[in-house]
Amino acid sequence: MKKVRTRYAPSPTGFMHVGNLRTALYEYLIAKSQGGDFVLRIEDTDQERYVEGAVDVIYRTLKTAGLKHDEGPDVGGDYGPYVQSERKDMYRPFAEKLIESGHAYRCFCTKERLEALKETEEYANGGYDRHCRDLPKEEIDRLLAEGTPYVIRQKMPLTGTTTFTDAVFGEITAPNEELQDQILIKTDGYPTYNFANVIDDHLMAITHVVRGNEYLSSTPKYDLLYEAFGWEIPTYVHLPLIMGKDAEGNVSKLSKRHGSTGFDDLVNEGYLPEAIINYIALLGWCPDDNTEMFTLSELEKRFSVDRISKSPAVFDYAKLEWFNGEHIKAMTVEQFEQIARPYILQGLGGKKLDTLKIAAILQQRTTKLTQIPEAIDFFGELPEYDAEMFINKKSKTNAENAPVMLKAAFDELKALPEWTNEAIHDALINLAVKLEVKNGTVMWPARIAAAGKKVTPGGAVEILEILGRDESLSRLEKGLEKLGR
């Protein structure tokens, strides 16, 4: 048994789309579930699409997501270099070998001729007419002697079929006559993606090639290259598409019109990296039971290729938010306070309060970290509110009893010898008993006066404790003024 080796080979062309991240995750899980190696390779052969800083985005995303690579440009390994542009001189000898064996040829067609081909009906949608495929040797020698620029193209068989097996989609057969003579080496000497990834995968001993199912149609070309070199063909794992749903319910390939599709964007919107990973793992894969909540280490133990689905998966932002809330609830309050602190401080607007106590009342009610500042802004500054808010049918408060309840609560709280959660709670509960009213009839006016909001994380007791004695009594006094007391 060969050691399982997978590779994540992104192009540094911008942000990390969730589709790219899912590919990286599945490659990581295939390797780790079988005790293998997960390799990072940067495919930067398309220099025109290179984006400055994009490699750093790749490193940062993998690190934040917890997908630690065993080999790569930054950590080294036995199969480097791990950046394709640094491997540039490796590819041409392999292409030349294909020319010698009759599996490739030099194409001297000018850009103008290729553009003119597109004007014809037959090649309006692209393709190549194989003009240089069978040039006489004398003509080739002459053009080479004159220094005529050329590309190297793969010589596809013109008849028969090519069949390959995919771990997800099974056996697939393609008619060879539909395969284009793809370019392997460009005029600038750089390999194309389709050629470089085959050479690199072989040289790096990659056993499992994982990619989106949009590459299924290209796989026969890769197989023909492996066969031409006499190399062992890796296990192909093609993943189903990730779709998005618009407001009307129409489903199409996930794009920015559906919402944030980048990992960084989702994190900035308040989703936890571990929740994103958990959710993305289930976009195209399911365990053999109904388990939904997974840590990355649990996924490493449970993941198997045979549970990957052929069907497209729909990215549901509401479902992602549910996962996020569940991951938040599963934390200790100390863990939650650490990640929530920047958002809490933003909501407090410079006011110094106990962030751990605020985290404790937020944790069970938070599904996105970005909800926090608005949810707790009343701690920083009492908002303007209307006296009508003191009236609440469920709590049985009305215009007549609300001022009475708030004044009684104020007096009880002012007399407290210590300002603790237990003392505040007992004072207000005992007051309700003494006045022969529901607990809520006392609590509601106290909470409205303290927070100036109908909906708050935590009740009156928690809010009053966090605000402290002086601020709480000041706010209750302002509430009494609003009620004309």
Side-chain angles (χ1 to χ4, degrees), residues 17-19 22 213-214 239-246 249-261 279-280 282-284 310-317:
H17 185 274
V18 294
R22 185 191 63 175
N213 68 7
E214 63 267 31
L239 309 179
L241 284 173
I242 298 179
M243 312 296 280
K245 188 184 290 185
D246 63 21
N250 301 313
V251 174
S252 58
K253 189 173 180 181
L254 184 67
S255 67
K256 286 190 174 181
R257 70 178 175 275
H258 298 117
S260 293
T261 59
Y279 180 57
I280 287 177
L282 298 173
L283 290 176
K310 297 183 182 71
S311 304
V314 177
F315 193 97
D316 184 337
Y317 292 89

Side-chain angles (χ1 to χ4, degrees), residues 88 91-92 185-191:
K88 179 184 171 185
Y91 305 109
R92 181 173 286 276
I185 302 289
K186 297 177 282 188
T187 53
D188 61 5
Y190 275 93

